Amino acid sequence: MKRTNMFTRKNSQVTSPLMTVNKVRKPCFLLSVLISILLIFSNGVEAEIRTNKVTNIGAIIDVNSRIGKEEKTALEMAVQDYNDISTNHELSLHFRHPGGDPLQVAYAAEELIKEKKVKVVIGMDNWEEAALVANIGNQYQIPILSFATPAITPPLTTVRWPFLIRMASDGSEQMRCIAALVQCHNWRKVVVIYEDNAYGGESGNLALLSEALQEVGSEIDYRLVLPPFSLSTDPEDDVQHELIKLQKDTESRVFIVLQSSSPMLTCLFREAKNMRLVGRDTAWIVSNSVTSFLDSMNNSVISSMGGTLGIQTYYSSSSSYQRFETQFRKIFRAEYLDEDNFLPGIQALRAYDSIGMVTQAIEKLGSDSSSTKMLLNSVLGSDFTGLTGEIHFKDGMLSQAPILRIVNVVGKKYKELDFWLPNFGFSKTLHPEEGKERCSNGNVCNNTGCLAGPVIWPGDLNGRNPKGWAMPSSAKPLRIVVPKRTSFDKFVTFQTGEALPEGFCIDVFNEVVERLNYPLPHEFFEHDGLYDDMIEGVYNKTYDAAIGDITILAERTKYVEFTQPYAESGLSMIVPLENEDSTWIFTKPFNLEMWIVSGAVFIYTMLIVWFLEHQSNPDFRGPWKFQIENALWFLSSSLFFIHSEKLYSNFTRTVVVAWLCVVFILTASYTANLTSMLTVQRMEPKFSEYKNYQINHLTVGCDNDSFVQNYLEKVLGFQTEKIKIIDHENDYPTEFETNNIAAAFLELPYEKVFLNKYCERYTSTEGTFRFGGFGFAFQKGSPIASDFSRVILRLSEKGTLTTLEERWFAPSPECSATVPHNNVESLSLRSFKGIYIVSATISTICFLLVLIPLVRNSRNHQEANEGNVTPSGKSVSSKGGGISKYSYNGDKTRIPRRASTFAQALDTDVWVSSRWERVSNSDNLENHEDSSQAEIEMP
């Protein structure tokens, strides 16, 4: 019993503490269970609150492409960033990647709207897909955010697709930038390359580029359309085939790649480099969509693009971008291990900003975000700065034209060169000084280019810009066609047994080639035919150039590119010289106008001398016939300095001195000109006007160039049967001598050669019909033509062309020693107008100085005799009677002996007053006797 109790006691002692511990643990356990229940409940409530506001967003992108991978990563980052900071809203992304079929893209959009209940659809990197999805958006009234926009915005776009938001700008600014690059480097023709997508997606960009190139004087010479990479069984073979066709059909080597997938672009540059189309004097320009691949291409592909210029949309490297780039690289590297480059492109930035626009619109609307129309309007009203720059919309598209960046692929990377600023042009900085632009579309650019930074071009160009043309090489020299037969051998000819031509034109060509800053291997080909056939050969690319005495005509410039003329050209008429009739040669020294004016001045001076001498000089009184005869004799004899009459008036002496000066000058000039006319052989053409040959139905000759004959027929109006073709310069004299032709029409350079040889028998008329001159012809768009033009101008300025002309076209010994047959021209009034004016002015002044006192005295005398009336009641004299009596002094006037010379008359000391008085007939004899007594005879 004791043991039992003891055991029982011990157990009780033992169990007592255990019971105490259990009592303590039980409330703790219950408390922990309660806390767990509360936590689970709170998490459930929170989850319920958050999942109550979820916005589904659909994304349609090609996740198999590099751009699609970047867009997917950027969209997921943007959604995650928003969900991490939002406490009452959540975004849910639903991706679809239906491939490249726009119909499948439209079906995927409809599926997202119906099944996933998306509020916004984002994506679509090409316009064909975006347009179809926009129709779905109209049907379900769901906003569509497209990363693509048409190159040319269709009319009424906002009316047709009101729910479409284009997260891009059109291609006009990019095409202007490309055209400015072409203009800066003087490229006239370009080749456009793009990958066909079976929907004509590049038609808009082609139209914009063609228009922009036309504004700067260039054009699209060839279009290389590559098949879609996804449909091609052998892309490399397809590319090679197209490039071979390109080499045959065009010489242009400026390639503009508008659009291409990354795999096709890789094949294109690999094959182009193998075919030496990426090399010396070639230029490659890739658009923004192609430049975006540079960040994702491996080094071997980039190295094959060395020297390429790329257009890239500029975005700022702000702190936000730096954070985004760091996170993007980390996620992209982890998800896509097969990629070599992990930097984000412009499409990734736009994808990130598109989510930012949606979230801002949702936050702005709050509880009204379920309304898609309100969400659309809120997105269209966005105005913020994202990773791609300022974002605000106008007419459903980004309103601000993008800033572009010009990049240059160098080695295995690319470097940035200049900016392209809208409405400004190329600039080194984003904020250039106003008016400091170097080049913009429509402005004239300098030859050194508009890009500030040095460009590394394909091949070794030694610091010069590529010609953008298939330049000649030793393996493929320049093919030059030269006329085998010409009318005048001094211009160009092939000597018998010689392979190389010679002549003035060939020497000019060689001088130009020596002064070019690059080698120009070439070979000559003979052409025995018309010059127009040579032009046709250059046009159809049988030859690269045509060299010779080729006249620049407007019609020919439609087919070839001419250089600056190195010799003037025009059509001149050559006619034989005939001896001129010299019967009336004594009248030739003065022209008709000169004779008429000289006679008028002679008569005027005679009347002035008579008027001044009539009162005091008896030689100028008497009957009218006697007075006129004496006055005529006096001035006529003064022409030969044999006059003998004395002069009584100082005014008369002044007039006569001026007249004698005129006589001396006229006599000397007449004698000199007449002597020249008698000394130089007087020869003149039968007709000086070509119309006279038409009227008289005479035959004319011309050389064997077809355009001259056409000109004579169509412009000058000669009948075909009245035109004779002369094959060689030596045949012209024979044709003239046998009267087969009456005149010959030659171009000015030929005329010079012909007259230098036959100057004694032929001459050219003054009428010349001008042409463009002699020039060299090249294929349209060839940069060699402009290089030749610059050198030709320098040769002309330095006198080299003149030296060559003197060497080849020197006159024959007979012509160099013979006085030219240019007729001596008659002297015109222009040469003597001054002396006539002086003489007439002196005569008029003397006349007025005598006439004014006469009129005054006559008036005073009339007033003094007023009131003296005859018995018949009439006045004794009148004013008219007094002046008339002055002019006639009776017939009984004694005529004094004439002085032997006029000089003796001037030496006399006799001075008779020039005062004129009114006298009567009864006083005539007395006055005459008084004047005779006062007369002093000249020794």
Side-chain angles (χ1 to χ4, degrees):
M1 292 293 294
K2 290 182 179 178
R3 290 181 179 177
T4 303
N5 292 335
M6 290 177 60
F7 180 76
T8 303
R9 190 181 302 117
K10 289 180 180 179
N11 285 342
S12 62
Q13 292 176 353
V14 173
T15 58
S16 179
L18 290 174
M19 292 179 61
T20 304
V21 172
N22 290 334
K23 290 180 180 180
V24 174
R25 287 181 175 178
K26 187 174 182 179
C28 292
F29 174 75
L30 294 175
L31 181 62
S32 63
V33 172
L34 180 62
I35 293 173
S36 299
I37 294 173
L38 290 176
L39 289 174
I40 293 172
F41 177 77
S42 63
N43 289 335
V45 172
E46 182 181 357
E48 184 179 0
I49 294 174
R50 293 184 60 181
T51 54
N52 283 339
K53 293 185 178 180
V54 176
T55 300
N56 294 316
I57 298 177
I60 301 177
I61 57 177
D62 182 9
V63 295
N64 295 322
S65 66
R66 165 71 187 206
I67 291 179
K69 294 175 182 178
E70 292 184 11
E71 290 173 345
K72 181 176 182 295
T73 303
L75 289 172
E76 291 174 342
M77 287 174 57
V79 170
Q80 185 63 41
D81 290 345
Y82 177 77
N83 289 340
D84 288 344
I85 62 175
S86 178
T87 59
N88 60 354
H89 213 110
E90 182 181 350
L91 300 180
S92 178
L93 267 176
H94 303 276
F95 289 99
R96 293 291 184 273
H97 44 90
D101 187 355
L103 295 178
Q104 292 296 325
V105 172
Y107 176 77
E110 188 172 13
E111 180 186 7
L112 287 171
I113 294 173
K114 287 183 177 180
E115 297 181 3
K116 299 300 180 180
K117 308 300 181 182
V118 297
K119 301 297 182 182
V120 179
V121 177
I122 300 176
M124 292 74 69
D125 290 314
N126 63 72
W127 174 245
E128 291 75 24
E129 298 175 355
L132 291 177
V133 175
N135 291 328
I136 303 298
N138 291 349
Q139 181 179 352
Y140 293 96
Q141 296 187 350
I142 297 296
I144 307 297
L145 264 69
S146 169
F147 297 149
T149 187
I152 301 176
T153 303
L156 303 177
T157 301
T158 55
V159 176
R160 185 176 179 183
W161 297 298
F163 285 86
L164 176 63
I165 304 172
R166 288 162 286 166
M167 190 70 178
S169 302
D170 60 28
S172 58
E173 200 65 38
Q174 183 179 192
M175 296 305 113
R176 280 194 289 267
C177 177
I178 294 175
L181 285 173
V182 172
Q183 180 192 22
C184 288
H185 299 92
N186 297 319
W187 297 323
R188 300 288 301 280
K189 291 180 178 290
V190 302
V191 176
V192 175
I193 303 175
Y194 59 92
E195 182 179 349
D196 186 23
N197 59 3
Y199 295 95
E202 291 305 309
S203 59
N205 281 327
L206 278 174
L208 288 174
L209 180 60
S210 178
E211 181 181 354
L213 289 173
Q214 288 179 2
E215 291 179 357
V216 299
S218 301
E219 62 178 343
I220 298 175
D221 185 47
Y222 190 88
R223 298 181 183 182
L224 194 156
V225 183
L226 299 173
F229 186 84
S230 58
L231 301 179
S232 177
T233 57
D234 190 351
E236 293 185 357
D237 183 68
D238 292 337
V239 170
Q240 186 179 21
H241 176 70
E242 292 296 332
L243 292 178
I244 291 174
K245 286 175 55 180
L246 180 146
Q247 288 181 314
K248 294 180 179 179
D249 294 340
T250 181
E251 300 294 325
S252 176
R253 294 298 182 264
V254 178
F255 304 100
I256 300 175
V257 184
L258 285 184
Q259 186 275 331
S260 174
S261 62
S262 180
M264 183 61 76
L265 187 71
T266 302
C267 293
L268 173 64
F269 274 95
R270 183 183 297 116
E271 294 300 322
K273 189 165 186 179
N274 292 337
M275 299 175 65
R276 297 183 178 179
L277 292 177
V278 181
R280 189 179 180 87
D281 281 309
T282 65
W284 288 78
I285 302 175
V286 295
S287 66
N288 184 30
S289 61
V290 178
T291 308
S292 61
F293 298 143
L294 295 178
D295 293 327
S296 60
M297 289 181 174
N298 56 46
N299 295 335
S300 61
V301 177
I302 294 180
S303 62
S304 66
M305 299 175 62
T308 301
L309 289 179
I311 312 297
Q312 193 177 62
T313 303
Y314 169 78
Y315 48 88
S316 175
S317 298
S318 60
S319 57
S320 300
Y321 172 79
Q322 297 294 338
R323 290 193 297 270
F324 170 81
E325 180 189 347
T326 302
Q327 186 180 3
F328 180 90
R329 295 177 65 178
K330 180 179 179 181
I331 297 175
F332 197 83
R333 178 184 286 110
E335 188 170 354
Y336 303 103
L337 300 176
D338 56 335
E339 295 290 341
D340 295 333
N341 191 294
F342 310 108
L343 290 174
I346 185 64
Q347 296 297 103
L349 304 184
R350 285 178 178 169
Y352 190 91
D353 286 342
S354 65
I355 297 297
M357 289 191 304
V358 174
T359 56
Q360 284 196 8
I362 291 175
E363 294 294 335
K364 187 185 300 182
L365 293 175
S367 60
D368 296 330
S369 61
S370 58
S371 173
T372 55
K373 287 187 176 180
M374 296 182 66
L375 180 63
L376 171 69
N377 294 330
S378 181
V379 171
L380 289 175
S382 299
D383 189 2
F384 69 99
T385 300
L387 296 178
T388 57
E390 296 182 4
I391 296 177
H392 43 86
F393 294 91
K394 181 180 181 181
D395 298 330
M397 182 178 66
L398 289 177
S399 60
Q400 188 173 3
I403 297 176
L404 303 177
R405 192 74 190 256
I406 316 300
V407 299
N408 184 204
V409 178
V410 180
K412 298 180 180 181
K413 58 183 180 179
Y414 64 87
K415 65 175 183 177
E416 297 176 340
L417 298 178
D418 271 17
F419 295 101
W420 172 268
L421 305 181
N423 301 320
F424 186 87
F426 294 110
S427 174
K428 187 62 178 176
T429 62
L430 286 173
H431 306 286
E433 298 181 16
E434 186 176 356
K436 295 295 185 180
E437 69 269 22
R438 293 191 304 279
C439 176
S440 61
N441 187 252
N443 292 343
V444 178
C445 307
N446 55 44
N447 292 331
T448 59
C450 301
L451 300 176
V455 180
I456 305 301
W457 300 104
D460 184 13
L461 296 181
N462 296 324
R464 66 174 178 87
N465 293 328
K467 296 298 181 182
W469 197 257
M471 297 300 289
S473 62
S474 56
K476 188 180 178 181
L478 193 72
R479 297 162 298 173
I480 301 176
V481 59
V482 180
K484 181 179 180 180
R485 59 183 182 90
T486 60
S487 299
F488 292 81
D489 296 337
K490 289 189 175 182
F491 287 91
V492 59
T493 185
F494 282 89
Q495 296 294 342
T496 304
E498 296 290 337
L500 297 179
E502 62 180 25
F504 170 72
C505 301
I506 304 302
D507 280 0
V508 173
F509 173 79
N510 292 333
E511 290 286 344
V512 174
V513 171
E514 289 178 2
R515 288 165 173 79
L516 293 176
N517 60 351
Y518 53 86
L520 192 70
H522 57 273
E523 57 181 338
F524 295 106
F525 297 87
E526 297 180 3
H527 175 77
D528 190 4
L530 298 177
Y531 281 47
D532 286 342
D533 294 337
M534 291 197 306
I535 299 298
E536 178 67 21
V538 177
Y539 173 70
N540 61 28
K541 297 181 174 58
T542 303
Y543 305 105
D544 299 314
I547 303 301
D549 49 344
I550 305 172
T551 304
I552 302 174
L553 300 175
E555 183 66 21
R556 291 175 176 175
T557 58
K558 297 178 182 179
Y559 307 101
V560 295
E561 192 89 19
F562 277 104
T563 64
Q564 283 286 332
Y566 59 86
E568 65 174 341
S569 178
L571 200 61
S572 181
M573 187 172 67
I574 304 296
V575 294
L577 286 170
E578 297 181 359
N579 290 328
E580 182 183 1
D581 184 12
S582 59
T583 303
W584 299 97
I585 194 172
F586 68 91
T587 63
K588 299 295 185 180
F590 294 155
N591 62 14
L592 179 61
E593 182 186 26
M594 183 69 180
W595 283 115
I596 294 174
V597 174
S598 299
V601 173
F602 176 84
I603 294 173
Y604 180 73
T605 305
M606 179 197 72
L607 294 175
I608 296 297
V609 169
W610 169 82
F611 185 82
L612 297 178
E613 289 293 311
H614 174 73
Q615 174 63 22
S616 57
N617 194 335
D619 290 336
F620 293 90
R621 288 186 292 183
W624 280 108
K625 181 180 179 182
F626 177 77
Q627 297 182 44
I628 293 175
E629 289 175 352
N630 279 353
L632 282 173
W633 166 254
F634 175 77
L635 279 193
S636 299
S637 59
S638 67
L639 294 175
F640 310 98
F641 302 99
I642 60 173
H643 45 272
S644 59
E645 289 80 359
K646 289 193 305 181
L647 299 178
Y648 290 82
S649 173
N650 287 334
F651 291 118
T652 307
R653 292 169 181 157
T654 303
V655 171
V656 171
V657 169
W659 169 249
L660 288 178
C661 291
V662 174
V663 170
F664 177 78
I665 294 174
L666 290 180
T667 303
S669 301
Y670 178 89
T671 303
N673 207 28
L674 181 61
T675 302
S676 299
M677 290 182 175
L678 293 174
T679 302
V680 177
Q681 184 181 7
R682 298 288 294 176
M683 303 186 75
E684 63 177 8
K686 185 175 182 179
F687 297 120
S688 59
E689 293 290 338
Y690 74 91
K691 293 183 179 180
N692 293 326
Y693 293 88
Q694 294 176 336
I695 296 172
N696 291 275
H697 303 287
L698 298 176
T699 302
V700 298
C702 66
D703 60 20
N704 54 17
D705 196 341
S706 59
F707 99 88
V708 177
Q709 182 179 359
N710 293 335
Y711 190 86
L712 293 178
E713 294 176 4
K714 298 179 181 180
V715 179
L716 301 186
F718 281 93
Q719 299 177 1
T720 304
E721 59 272 13
K722 295 298 180 181
I723 301 174
K724 185 172 184 178
I725 304 300
I726 311 297
D727 292 328
H728 198 270
E729 60 178 305
N730 295 331
D731 297 335
Y732 283 98
T734 304
E735 298 294 333
F736 276 119
E737 292 170 0
T738 57
N739 294 324
N740 289 333
I741 60 173
F745 286 88
L746 298 178
E747 294 183 70
L748 288 181
Y750 302 152
E751 173 213 334
K752 185 175 182 179
V753 174
F754 185 82
L755 293 182
N756 282 343
K757 188 175 182 180
Y758 302 103
C759 59
E760 295 181 342
R761 291 182 289 169
Y762 304 95
T763 187
S764 61
T765 60
E766 295 181 358
T768 302
F769 308 94
R770 296 289 178 180
F771 300 128
F774 285 175
F776 303 138
F778 292 86
Q779 292 181 12
K780 275 284 188 179
S782 173
I784 304 176
S786 58
D787 293 340
F788 263 60
S789 295
R790 283 191 292 270
V791 178
I792 287 173
L793 289 176
R794 287 198 292 267
L795 292 176
S796 179
E797 294 169 358
K798 293 181 179 179
T800 306
L801 293 181
T802 303
T803 303
L804 293 177
E805 288 179 0
E806 293 174 352
R807 181 195 308 169
W808 281 99
F809 308 141
S812 62
E814 296 81 6
C815 292
S816 60
T818 303
V819 179
H821 293 311
N822 295 331
N823 293 337
V824 181
E825 295 183 357
S826 300
L827 297 176
S828 64
L829 178 63
R830 184 175 57 182
S831 304
F832 301 93
K833 187 183 297 184
I835 189 65
Y836 280 153
I837 293 175
V838 172
S839 176
T841 302
I842 293 174
S843 299
T844 303
I845 292 174
C846 292
F847 170 73
L848 294 176
L849 290 176
V850 173
L851 179 62
I852 292 173
L854 172 64
V855 174
R856 185 184 297 114
N857 291 339
S858 177
R859 183 180 299 166
N860 293 338
H861 189 75
Q862 181 180 2
E863 292 175 356
N865 290 335
E866 288 181 356
N868 295 332
V869 184
T870 61
S872 62
K874 295 181 180 181
S875 176
V876 176
S877 62
S878 66
K879 179 178 179 181
I883 297 179
S884 64
K885 289 178 182 179
Y886 162 80
S887 63
Y888 178 77
N889 288 307
D891 297 333
K892 298 180 181 180
T893 305
R894 181 179 61 85
I895 301 174
R897 180 177 61 85
R898 295 179 178 176
S900 60
T901 64
F902 181 68
Q904 292 174 349
L906 292 178
D907 289 338
T908 182
D909 295 333
V910 177
W911 177 85
V912 180
S913 174
S914 63
R915 181 175 60 87
W916 295 353
E917 298 179 354
R918 180 178 175 275
V919 295
S920 63
N921 289 336
S922 60
D923 296 331
N924 284 343
L925 182 57
E926 181 181 356
N927 291 338
H928 174 66
E929 292 175 353
D930 293 339
S931 62
S932 299
Q933 294 176 0
E935 181 181 4
I936 300 177
E937 296 290 337
M938 300 297 295

